[in-house]
Amino acid sequence: MKVEQIYTGCLAQGAYYIESNGEVAIIDPLRETQSYVDQAEKNGAKIKYIFETHFHADFVSGHIDLAQKTGATIVYGPTATPAFDAHIATDGEVFQLGNITITAIHTPGHTMESTTYLLKDENGVDKMIFTGDTLFIGDVGRPDLAQKLDSELTQEILAGYLFDSLRNKIMPLADDVIVYPAHGAGSACGKNMSKETFDTLGHQKEVNYALNPNMTKEEFIKELTSGLMPPPFYFPENVMLNKSGYESLDVVKARGSRALSPNEFVQVAEETGALILDVRDPQTFASGFIPGSISIGIKGQFAPWVGTLITDIKQPILIVAEEGVEQEAITRLARVGYDNTIGYLQGGFEAWVEAKKDFDEIVSVSPEEFVELVDETELKVLDVRKPGEFAAGHVEGAITAPLDFINESMKLIDPEETYLVHCAGGYRSMIFASILRARGYENLIDVAGGFGKIKDVEGVKLVEGTTACSAQSNSCSSK
């Protein structure tokens, strides 16, 4: 028996390759499926099943493409209603895979069709569970997503179902069973996931608040539904793609792989109204970029921020990237359902400059220069980190203006004033500054290195948990 966790850091997502005696199962496959096919062929094995733990919201699964390539059967849990051929398992149904078995355990709560898959070895011993978004390491799945598809569901009802699933289906399993979830830290599918990507169930019973045997159902529901950030805009769209079907990734990549000269790039942008997405390093972007383009660096949490800030999943997109990175950008956009990339700037930004096209810049200062400017001028400071990060510590007098709520955060900004903008490390602040620059705000100065570097500068004035202005309420409130 072979079990491999295939973890994709930019999505904080785990897919699984399971092989026994020449037969393979893939659990929650990534959209690019060829690697699974190649691995099975290399091992002289055949992909028999594609198990889906639920209709994913945060990425587009590769289940349909993989089934078409291999003839494997797609399996969903009870109540799932996909628009394509799939086997809908009954609760407790057993699937033979070589010398081992995989049992479907219906665990509704995160979504109604959510299903955990229990792997038993050749001797029939429980070895591991693939929990999807039902149980994470240190957390459980958020209960507010499925209600967008069914108006009769509430997050409280779903949280109640999840409580029952955990108590009745998961916790009775042996402590030495290994938990393999669909996500780790960085995913928006839970609140406080661990950076660890697997653990024993016994240890999770000790440390995971959601598995506390003394917690009442009412306490569980209250804990689970409090402090939830709104999900990214693309989540419902990804659910529908996973449920209804989508274009082949090969088609999407072919459409996006159109290399455009600077003149062609301008023409296509004007004809289509495409958004120009610059995926270079934030500081490289600051030193020169195409007017109106926005920065979301591919080396950060690229896909989640695309999904949070580009609200129309069908938006035509043109890419500006370092040479050789274009295909990666197209693929990573497609992972979260942004399939309408229509080309990229051939030769990158350097070709734009060589063509003598106009370009823009954003002033960026070091943390030391930031502290001097704060001390010597009356410039205001915008902190675009999440509210919880701000509450844990921030620069004295800073205004909290989270990137997550950029349309609300804009209301705090006077276009005639100059602001110093920072996040934790410089990634989000450049996104923020670029979006506002595209909307006509000219007076934003980015702080390279963000709060992580600012707090170490001698003489900086920091506060923790004090009163600050909030972008969500557009007023001052106690932190």
Side-chain angles (χ1 to χ4, degrees):
M1 177 179 69
K2 176 181 181 180
V3 177
E4 180 181 353
Q5 182 185 63
I6 304 168
Y7 200 78
T8 304
C10 66
L11 289 176
Q13 187 265 343
Y16 297 89
Y17 178 100
I18 305 167
E19 182 182 324
S20 174
N21 196 26
E23 294 185 336
V24 174
I26 307 294
I27 298 180
D28 294 339
L30 204 63
R31 193 168 183 185
E32 332 56 300
T33 59
Q34 192 57 44
S35 62
Y36 310 126
V37 176
D38 292 344
Q39 186 169 352
E41 289 181 351
K42 179 181 178 181
N43 296 343
K46 179 177 176 58
I47 299 176
K48 182 178 182 181
Y49 294 116
I50 303 162
F51 291 105
E52 289 284 357
T53 55
H54 62 296
F55 293 120
H56 304 283
D58 59 311
F59 72 100
V60 178
S61 175
H63 54 306
I64 296 174
D65 276 354
L66 187 56
Q68 291 175 345
K69 288 181 178 180
T70 65
T73 299
I74 301 171
V75 179
Y76 277 96
T79 78
T81 56
F84 42 83
D85 288 339
H87 178 87
I88 307 304
T90 57
D91 190 14
E93 184 171 352
V94 178
F95 298 84
Q96 191 75 38
L97 187 77
N99 298 327
I100 66 175
T101 62
I102 296 175
T103 302
I105 303 174
H106 191 207
T107 50
H110 173 65
T111 66
M112 290 306 295
E113 78 283 352
S114 287
T115 297
T116 294
Y117 295 100
L118 169 65
L119 185 152
K120 297 187 178 187
D121 68 11
E122 296 87 346
N123 300 313
V125 177
D126 296 352
K127 299 300 290 185
M128 53 196 71
I129 49 176
F130 302 89
T131 54
D133 291 16
T134 293
L135 176 62
F136 297 127
I137 306 307
D139 201 1
V140 291
R142 60 192 298 162
D144 61 330
L145 301 182
Q147 62 180 354
K148 296 185 182 299
L149 301 176
D150 186 342
S151 59
E152 294 184 2
L153 292 173
T154 66
Q155 62 182 19
E156 288 76 19
I157 290 174
L158 287 159
Y161 285 140
L162 184 53
F163 178 88
D164 293 337
S165 293
L166 293 169
R167 269 40 182 194
N168 300 330
K169 301 290 186 71
I170 302 295
M171 292 177 67
L173 296 172
D175 287 353
D176 62 353
V177 167
I178 300 173
V179 178
Y180 282 117
H183 296 292
S187 169
C189 292
K191 292 189 295 185
N192 298 298
M193 282 174 268
S194 169
K195 65 180 180 179
E196 304 300 328
T197 61
F198 65 94
D199 195 5
T200 63
L201 181 58
H203 188 245
Q204 282 302 293
K205 290 176 183 178
E206 295 175 2
V207 302
N208 191 326
Y209 74 94
L211 302 186
N212 181 350
N214 299 317
M215 179 181 283
T216 67
K217 192 171 189 174
E218 290 71 24
E219 290 171 337
F220 178 90
I221 292 172
K222 182 178 179 181
E223 175 68 25
L224 194 57
T225 57
S226 63
L228 282 172
M229 295 282 285
F233 288 103
Y234 74 102
F235 270 29
E237 300 289 345
N238 275 200
V239 169
M240 293 310 300
L241 286 171
N242 283 318
K243 188 174 182 178
S244 302
Y246 48 76
E247 280 188 301
S248 166
L249 181 61
D250 292 338
V251 173
V252 173
K253 291 175 71 173
R255 180 167 54 240
S257 298
R258 181 183 176 192
L260 301 167
S261 70
N263 287 336
E264 291 171 329
F265 194 89
V266 171
Q267 181 178 354
V268 171
E270 291 176 348
E271 290 176 350
T272 64
L275 180 148
I276 301 174
L277 180 61
D278 194 317
V279 304
R280 295 175 298 155
D281 175 81
Q283 289 302 308
T284 302
F285 175 88
S287 64
F289 57 90
I290 297 173
S293 62
I294 66 170
S295 167
I296 305 182
I298 201 164
K299 293 183 179 180
Q301 288 292 311
F302 177 72
W305 282 116
V306 166
T308 297
L309 299 169
I310 304 177
T311 57
D312 181 3
I313 202 168
K314 297 179 181 179
Q315 167 71 50
I317 295 173
L318 288 167
I319 297 292
V320 178
E322 301 287 354
E323 286 194 84
V325 181
E326 300 91 353
Q327 290 300 317
E328 181 183 357
I330 296 164
T331 298
R332 289 175 65 173
L333 285 167
R335 284 179 183 169
V336 288
Y338 288 80
D339 289 357
N340 204 16
T341 303
I342 56 175
Y344 64 88
L345 180 60
Q346 187 173 28
F349 184 70
E350 291 75 10
W352 185 267
V353 175
E354 290 174 4
K356 302 189 183 307
K357 300 288 187 182
D358 291 338
F359 63 89
D360 206 346
E361 298 173 323
I362 289 177
V363 175
S364 185
V365 298
S366 69
E368 292 77 14
E369 292 170 322
F370 166 83
V371 173
E372 290 180 7
L373 287 168
V374 170
D375 288 342
E376 298 172 4
T377 71
E378 296 184 355
L379 296 181
K380 294 181 179 179
V381 178
L382 294 177
D383 185 331
V384 303
R385 297 176 298 160
K386 295 179 183 294
E389 294 174 277
F390 183 90
H394 55 269
V395 175
E396 184 179 76
I399 300 168
T400 175
L403 175 61
D404 304 70
F405 309 104
I406 190 166
N407 291 328
E408 290 298 312
S409 296
M410 282 181 60
K411 297 176 183 178
L412 299 174
I413 301 172
D414 182 344
E416 301 302 318
E417 290 194 38
T418 300
Y419 297 84
L420 295 159
V421 184
H422 78 82
C423 60
Y427 181 81
R428 287 173 284 177
S429 61
M430 191 58 68
I431 298 174
F432 188 97
S434 71
I435 292 174
L436 264 66
R437 187 61 158 256
R439 295 177 180 179
Y441 289 72
E442 300 286 338
N443 302 318
L444 299 181
I445 300 173
D446 176 71
V447 184
F451 188 74
K453 299 291 186 182
I454 291 170
K455 62 184 177 59
D456 295 329
V457 178
E458 184 177 354
V460 66
K461 297 176 183 177
L462 302 177
V463 291
E464 295 183 7
T466 187
T467 302
C469 294
S470 167
Q472 287 92 307
S473 63
N474 203 20
S475 62
C476 289
S477 59
S478 179
K479 291 286 183 183

